[in-house]
Amino acid sequence: MATERETLLLTGANVVLPTGTEKNGRVVVDGRRIAAAAPAGARVLDVTGHWLVPGFVDIHNHGGGGASFSGTPDDILTAIRTHRAHGTTTLVASTVTDEMDLLVRQAGLLSELAEQGEIAGIHFEGPFISPCRKGAHSEGLLRDPDPAEVRKLIDAARGKARMVTLAAELPGGIDSVRLLAEHGVIAAIGHTDASYEQTAEAIDAGATVATHLFNAMPALNHRAPGPIAALLEDERVTVELINDGVHLHPAALELAFRHAGANRVAFITDAMDAAGTGDGRYMLGPLEVEVSEGVARLVEGGSIAGSTLTLDRAFQRAVTVDKLSVEDAVTALSANPARLLGLSDRIGSLEPGKDADLVLLDADFALKGVMRQGEWVVAPQLP
């Protein structure tokens, strides 16, 4: 285990760097950071035949390990630990639609954990979304994106609000996008019934993310292209994709990568409590969810209710099923979300001076080790 007092030299792996993959590469971990060179006497760990990639960064995640980010501090820590064990070394905690007073209270709790470095900030998904595209959100708690209400949540987060998903076509939507942009908070378009033109207006107002593209928005139509076309074509927008084999047909994922390019895709989990656990009954905010064969659906109505995905599985699927290059998968799972969060100087790539956040994968891209800030979260599992 790497500590503040030792230097660890990882050798022999395929190391994925911003410039490409270095075969038989090496990564030096000096305390909490990646170093350029190893001093004499550094401890050597031979990981020949494996891959070393940057720690994964999840900007849209509601929970895991049987616990939710809408729960108690212990619940939140359980969810964080669950995803760290699957390679997510940086995580933004997502809320779901609820009473405003409860969201304000939860924002205060989550902001404390962000101040402690446990999470990278807060993502508010709802309540400012369309009842036509509500997905697994309680319709009775939805509201228009009044800028004053949006500001209330931002203020409650005490500088830790990272992203707000909203339907920009609703009254107050465009003004709220401008407000978010002015405060350095990502305005994400999602759970929306917007037209192509309304979506383009929101992007011009400052929206920069598509919340789980394709899901909870009108389908692409040749006469009414809707939000999908506007979000895919604009170079200012990064599109979230849930790569679990349930939310997207492989052809839809290929379309997004082909049209937007790897530099504008961020893989997310949109995970709920059941991620990292198993089938059964769970709660997503105030709504009951049934998980069967790893697929989460609302008990009432049957809508897909988030996912049970972890990012190590998303990575493995990307390179083995979707046939993406390892470099493009790393871009979508680490570099792009780090850039969106404004944290590229610290995370998102295996470069000297950055946090020693890394994931060790075997030749089949199965997770074999996770390091966060120089400490093994999952100790290397080597032959």
Side-chain angles (χ1 to χ4, degrees):
M1 178 180 292
T3 71
E4 292 291 325
R5 294 181 298 275
E6 73 173 351
T7 301
L8 175 65
L9 173 60
L10 298 154
T11 64
N14 296 309
V15 181
V16 182
L17 303 170
T19 52
T21 297
E22 180 181 330
K23 296 182 178 180
N24 194 27
R26 48 194 277 156
V27 173
V28 180
V29 177
D30 186 5
R32 296 164 58 95
R33 308 283 183 188
I34 297 171
R43 188 160 68 86
V44 177
L45 181 62
D46 186 350
V47 289
T48 299
H50 290 70
W51 292 82
L52 277 174
V53 301
F56 306 140
V57 182
D58 195 354
I59 60 171
H60 187 155
N61 186 317
H62 297 280
S68 166
F69 290 122
S70 297
T72 67
D74 285 345
D75 290 335
I76 295 166
L77 290 171
T78 294
I80 291 168
R81 293 186 191 110
T82 297
H83 286 282
R84 281 185 188 164
H86 289 274
T88 299
T89 51
T90 301
L91 182 149
V92 174
S94 302
T95 63
V96 294
T97 296
D98 213 323
E99 299 283 357
M100 279 296 292
D101 288 347
L102 293 177
L103 289 173
V104 166
R105 186 170 65 191
Q106 198 64 21
L109 177 59
L110 290 167
S111 67
E112 291 179 11
L113 290 165
E115 289 161 3
Q116 296 165 18
E118 297 289 350
I119 58 175
I122 308 165
H123 164 219
F124 297 101
E125 188 179 26
F128 312 115
I129 60 176
S130 171
C132 302
R133 305 288 174 178
K134 64 183 186 298
H137 292 257
S138 179
E139 185 169 354
L141 297 174
L142 301 181
R143 58 182 66 206
D144 291 337
D146 180 342
E149 296 274 73
V150 174
R151 179 64 186 267
K152 188 176 181 181
L153 287 184
I154 295 173
D155 290 345
R158 304 201 303 262
K160 300 302 180 181
R162 290 291 193 179
M163 182 162 65
V164 176
T165 293
L166 52 76
E169 76 277 10
L170 297 176
I174 297 298
D175 286 340
S176 290
V177 168
R178 292 195 184 98
L179 172 73
L180 292 167
E182 288 168 2
H183 284 80
V185 179
I186 296 167
I189 302 303
H191 289 276
T192 178
D193 205 39
S195 66
Y196 174 90
E197 291 77 14
Q198 289 169 325
T199 306
E201 183 182 5
I203 297 168
D204 285 338
T208 56
V209 166
T211 292
H212 44 54
L213 187 75
F214 299 110
N215 298 115
M217 58 183 63
L220 190 65
N221 181 281
H222 61 293
R223 291 195 180 94
I228 293 173
L231 293 163
L232 273 179
E233 73 180 10
D234 199 300
E235 293 185 356
R236 294 170 290 183
V237 176
T238 299
V239 298
E240 295 181 348
L241 298 175
I242 308 171
N243 191 26
D244 61 352
V246 175
H247 281 77
L248 296 175
H249 189 282
L253 183 137
E254 183 182 4
L255 172 68
F257 264 90
R258 185 181 298 271
H259 201 78
N263 289 327
R264 288 180 45 218
V265 173
F267 280 140
I268 60 165
T269 60
D270 194 16
M272 47 81 70
D273 300 23
T277 54
D279 291 353
R281 289 281 179 110
Y282 299 86
M283 297 301 294
L284 184 60
L287 302 178
E288 192 172 16
V289 175
E290 176 78 30
V291 178
S292 177
E293 297 182 353
V295 179
R297 294 186 179 275
L298 290 181
V299 171
E300 184 176 341
S303 292
I304 292 178
S307 84
T308 61
L309 187 64
T310 52
L311 283 184
D312 58 330
R313 287 171 44 213
F315 188 103
Q316 188 177 42
R317 180 180 175 84
V319 295
T320 61
V321 176
D322 304 312
K323 305 303 182 184
L324 296 179
S325 71
V326 175
E327 293 82 4
D328 281 354
V330 165
T331 299
L333 280 148
S334 302
N336 288 345
R339 170 182 51 79
L340 281 171
L341 296 176
L343 297 176
S344 291
D345 60 329
R346 283 185 38 224
I347 61 171
S349 62
L350 300 178
E351 296 178 278
K354 295 192 178 182
D355 288 356
D357 293 353
L358 56 87
V359 178
L360 181 70
L361 305 167
D362 68 13
D364 297 318
F365 303 101
L367 185 143
K368 295 298 178 180
V370 180
M371 177 181 283
R372 182 176 186 268
Q373 295 181 1
E375 296 285 345
W376 289 111
V377 177
V378 177
Q381 303 166 44
L382 301 173

